Amino acid sequence: MSARNLPPVWSKIAKHAVFPETTHDERARYNFLANLNKHLAHVSQGNKIAFDKRVEPKFEKEHGRKMKDTSELKKAMEKDPHYQVWSSLRRSTMEMRQQAGRSIVLRQADNLKEKAEKLNEGKASLVLDADCEVPNYLLACDNHIMPGSYHTELIDGDVTPAANYDTGLFVTTAGLLGTYSDGGGKAITSWVKKTYPDFKPKRILDIGCGMGHNVLPIAKAFPDAEVIGIDTAAPMLRYAHARAMDLGYTNVKFMQMDAAKTIFEDESFDWVQSTMFFHETGGKSIYKIMDEVYRVLKPGGLTLHIEQPQYTDDMSLFEKFIRDWDALNNNEPYWSKMHDIEPVDLMHASGFKKEDFMQIGAKAENDLDDGSNKAEEPEDHGRSPIWNVFGAIKN
Ligand SMILES: C[S@@+](CC[C@H](N)C(=O)[O-])C[C@H]1O[C@@H](n2cnc3c(N)ncnc32)[C@H](O)[C@@H]1O
């Protein structure tokens, strides 16, 4: 068996004034889960072997033909013992992560709220709107099995959904997003700086900013720009703002607003960004949000969207099936639809010209990777911090 890289220890995660307190046992639990997730990425490789050696030959023998689609493949794979073990363990790691995270943050909910309030009080850079409605697609399920999802408030001024997210993200990604979990934001910032060295955005909008971790590298790289993160979930924004204040950011603002109907003027941003956002939006909202991106973007402005890898026509049924695991088993119901949409068509429907469309690959910039982990990493479908970025310059 080849050498395996271990994930970095959870304690490496960056602390800040609203970061929850943890006990020895809670940290041990998170470390166990990060290691289990990493191990499962290796176990996952056996799914392809099970498919090639057992599942597909059996199906073809029984039916006298090849499988037609992913739903036939799913039915057949779900009877396979290797897949059953891997899938139930993967689901369990997510449930355990959420339970571990919630037990950390709920016992200190009042304390976390007070810490956030201290940093947020009287600041014009946090704008909450009690009339902002959480879209139905978000109310319909608890995203990635996170109880209460992003928006639920158990106490007035609650920040626990974001605090849970902040401590737990490291576990699911086995630390591959870096100390501040901002490997995506860093990667896109570096790409923009390198590709457009003369680009000097004055106003930048991040839609579905969550706890703001991926927008901060952008704000840091463009200190003269006004950077606005929007989200419909007040707990995420309270935490995002307090975190950014404590980390010393002065050019970011967080506003509660639906990305499908923002209050911003036409053509008022130089850059509209989203990170791991579109796959959590449902139905027609995807199109409405892209219409809004087009509307608020200045002519000559840039828009980029970091997403999971797209499905392509030449992708095997097996790969599509395994990449859909989260949609079927991890409360990500909109994930498959997003992957079936052609980003170029989505953008074109909102007014972007097809010839201005761009698509690039991005890999998280991980400051926890010191190069000492040399063993080859298996592709962990839906978990590896390797993404598809699509976007355009508006002309
Ligand atoms: C997976 S999180 C992504 C957070 C962050 N961008 C990141 O880098 O990880 C998706 C976020 O989008 C928010 N969201 C979903 N639909 C939205 C909408 N229509 N308008 C604004 N925010 C939305 C959710 O509340 C959640 O915080």
Side-chain angles (χ1 to χ4, degrees):
M1 190 186 287
S2 60
R4 289 191 179 176
N5 296 328
L6 294 176
V9 288
W10 181 86
S11 314
K12 296 253 181 196
I13 199 168
K15 312 297 183 305
H16 48 79
V18 266
F19 197 83
E21 303 287 335
T22 52
T23 63
H24 165 274
D25 289 11
E26 287 164 344
R27 292 191 290 278
R29 195 169 293 133
Y30 266 169
N31 277 323
F32 166 74
L33 285 172
N35 277 277
L36 182 55
N37 271 322
K38 191 112 186 177
H39 177 65
L40 286 178
H42 290 268
V43 177
S44 171
Q45 309 310 301
N47 286 319
K48 179 75 170 78
I49 299 168
F51 176 72
D52 288 342
K53 297 230 151 110
R54 281 198 295 266
V55 179
E56 190 177 42
K58 185 165 182 265
F59 180 97
E60 289 178 7
K61 199 168 164 208
E62 278 171 17
H63 295 81
R65 61 170 174 83
K66 291 207 159 295
M67 290 177 188
K68 280 199 298 262
D69 51 31
T70 48
S71 97
E72 277 189 349
L73 199 153
K74 171 178 175 284
K75 246 188 185 163
M77 276 303 278
E78 281 177 351
K79 292 187 193 121
D80 186 81
H82 183 93
Y83 176 77
Q84 286 172 350
V85 169
W86 170 79
S87 181
S88 58
L89 280 172
R90 203 184 209 214
R91 164 86 188 193
S92 300
T93 59
M94 204 62 188
E95 293 201 350
M96 285 192 277
R97 167 197 154 179
Q98 300 301 353
Q99 284 164 17
R102 293 286 281 174
S103 71
I104 290 170
V105 300
L106 290 182
R107 68 175 164 77
Q108 51 190 309
D110 290 324
N111 199 11
L112 290 169
K113 167 199 156 147
E114 274 166 33
K115 287 177 180 172
E117 277 175 355
K118 216 180 252 174
L119 286 151
N120 292 340
E121 211 162 20
K123 301 265 173 39
S125 44
L126 176 64
V127 182
L128 298 181
D129 173 9
D131 293 330
C132 174
E133 283 176 23
V134 177
N136 282 333
Y137 62 80
L138 282 176
L139 296 173
C141 74
D142 285 344
N143 274 83
H144 35 75
I145 336 177
M146 193 165 63
S149 202
Y150 303 99
H151 56 273
T152 301
E153 306 196 31
L154 298 178
I155 52 171
D156 276 348
D158 201 357
V159 295
T160 54
N164 171 32
Y165 196 86
D166 197 5
T167 61
L169 193 54
F170 189 96
V171 173
T172 307
T173 58
L176 293 175
L177 296 178
T179 325
Y180 287 91
S181 299
D182 60 355
K186 277 186 177 162
I188 204 65
T189 306
S190 299
W191 184 83
V192 167
K193 284 249 169 193
K194 196 168 147 225
T195 313
Y196 304 107
D198 299 327
F199 184 48
K200 302 268 179 295
K202 289 197 194 72
R203 279 188 102 210
I204 301 169
L205 177 65
D206 185 55
I207 56 177
C209 63
M211 63 163 205
H213 52 303
N214 280 314
V215 72
L216 295 187
I218 299 176
K220 190 173 187 180
F222 296 97
D224 298 329
E226 179 193 17
V227 180
I228 302 177
I230 62 168
D231 204 288
T232 44
M236 302 305 283
L237 294 168
R238 288 186 194 107
Y239 188 89
H241 184 264
R243 181 178 182 269
M245 292 298 106
D246 187 58
L247 295 175
Y249 286 82
T250 53
N251 62 332
V252 278
K253 191 169 179 177
F254 291 96
M255 302 177 79
Q256 190 176 9
M257 196 180 307
D258 186 340
K261 37 186 179 194
T262 73
I263 57 158
F264 303 117
E265 286 181 13
D266 292 357
E267 302 182 351
S268 53
F269 287 92
D270 303 284
W271 178 0
V272 180
Q273 171 66 26
S274 79
T275 302
M276 300 310 285
F277 165 71
F278 271 106
H279 72 269
E280 288 192 4
T281 64
K284 293 185 184 131
S285 296
I286 298 177
Y287 293 93
K288 287 190 191 152
I289 293 167
M290 193 53 85
D291 285 350
E292 197 62 359
V293 169
Y294 187 82
R295 185 185 72 74
V296 301
L297 195 61
K298 287 182 192 168
L302 172 70
T303 188
L304 293 169
H305 307 282
I306 302 184
E307 263 304 330
Q308 292 286 342
Q310 283 305 123
Y311 299 162
T312 54
D313 290 342
D314 60 356
M315 197 178 265
S316 71
L317 276 188
F318 177 82
E319 192 167 346
K320 285 185 186 170
F321 159 75
I322 208 82
R323 287 193 179 283
D324 254 1
W325 184 90
D326 285 80
L328 302 166
N329 303 287
N330 189 28
N331 278 17
E332 293 272 16
Y334 316 117
W335 175 294
S336 319
K337 175 157 193 248
M338 177 63 217
H339 292 167
D340 280 340
I341 289 177
E342 275 298 335
V344 62
D345 297 334
L346 168 67
M347 297 199 67
H348 185 55
S350 296
F352 290 97
K353 294 194 181 112
K354 284 199 174 181
E355 60 269 30
D356 295 330
F357 177 78
M358 59 177 108
Q359 193 149 239
I360 56 163
K363 186 169 184 291
E365 276 182 26
N366 179 4
D367 58 352
L368 288 172
D369 181 4
D370 59 7
S372 59
N373 275 337
K374 293 275 185 258
E376 205 171 300
E377 294 293 329
E379 156 69 338
D380 188 11
H381 307 98
R383 294 283 184 278
S384 302
I386 300 167
W387 305 289
N388 179 47
V389 183
F390 64 90
I393 302 250
K394 178 178 171 181
N395 282 309

